[in-house]
Amino acid sequence: VKHISNVIYNFTYSNQNNTELIDSLGNTLDQISSITPGGTLMFFPSYSLMDRIYQRWESTGLLFKITGVGNNPTNINQSIHKSIPIYMEPRDAKSTE
């Protein structure tokens, strides 16, 4: 799968720390979520990759750009962005009860 910037999404184990891929995925999700009513669902092959991507997006401001919530280190104007809740599956199945 490619993003419009021609970045090839290859999240094999050796590429999971590639910040260019992680940032491009965040920008793609931002574009998709801006035109998709009702939300967007993402699946990750592991909790560690999900955590890594979430932490990167939070530290760079992409999470704020995508959702309108969280840290805003780049001072993005919140009024032009949506407020989309993020639900993360808990690691412990007992937490879902």
Side-chain angles (χ1 to χ4, degrees), residues 47-77:
Y47 285 110
S48 63
L49 179 60
M50 180 182 68
D51 292 341
R52 190 175 303 119
I53 289 173
Y54 185 90
Q55 290 169 2
R56 169 69 183 177
W57 289 350
E58 187 173 45
S59 70
T60 62
L62 270 171
L63 185 63
F64 184 84
K65 182 180 176 189
I66 296 166
T67 66
V69 296
N71 291 334
N72 185 11
T74 56
N75 295 318
I76 296 171
N77 183 352

Side-chain angles (χ1 to χ4, degrees), residues 9-16 18 21-22 25 45 49 53:
Y9 293 135
N10 178 6
F11 282 97
T12 57
Y13 185 77
S14 61
N15 282 332
Q16 289 185 2
N18 184 324
L21 285 177
I22 293 171
L25 181 63
L49 179 60
I53 289 173

Side-chain angles (χ1 to χ4, degrees), residues 11-12 20 26 28 33 41-43 45 53 61 63-64 73 75-77 83 95 97:
F11 282 97
T12 57
E20 181 184 5
T28 298
S33 66
L41 181 63
M42 287 189 69
F43 292 94
I53 289 173
L63 185 63
F64 184 84
N75 295 318
I76 296 171
N77 183 352
S83 181
S95 300
E97 297 175 4

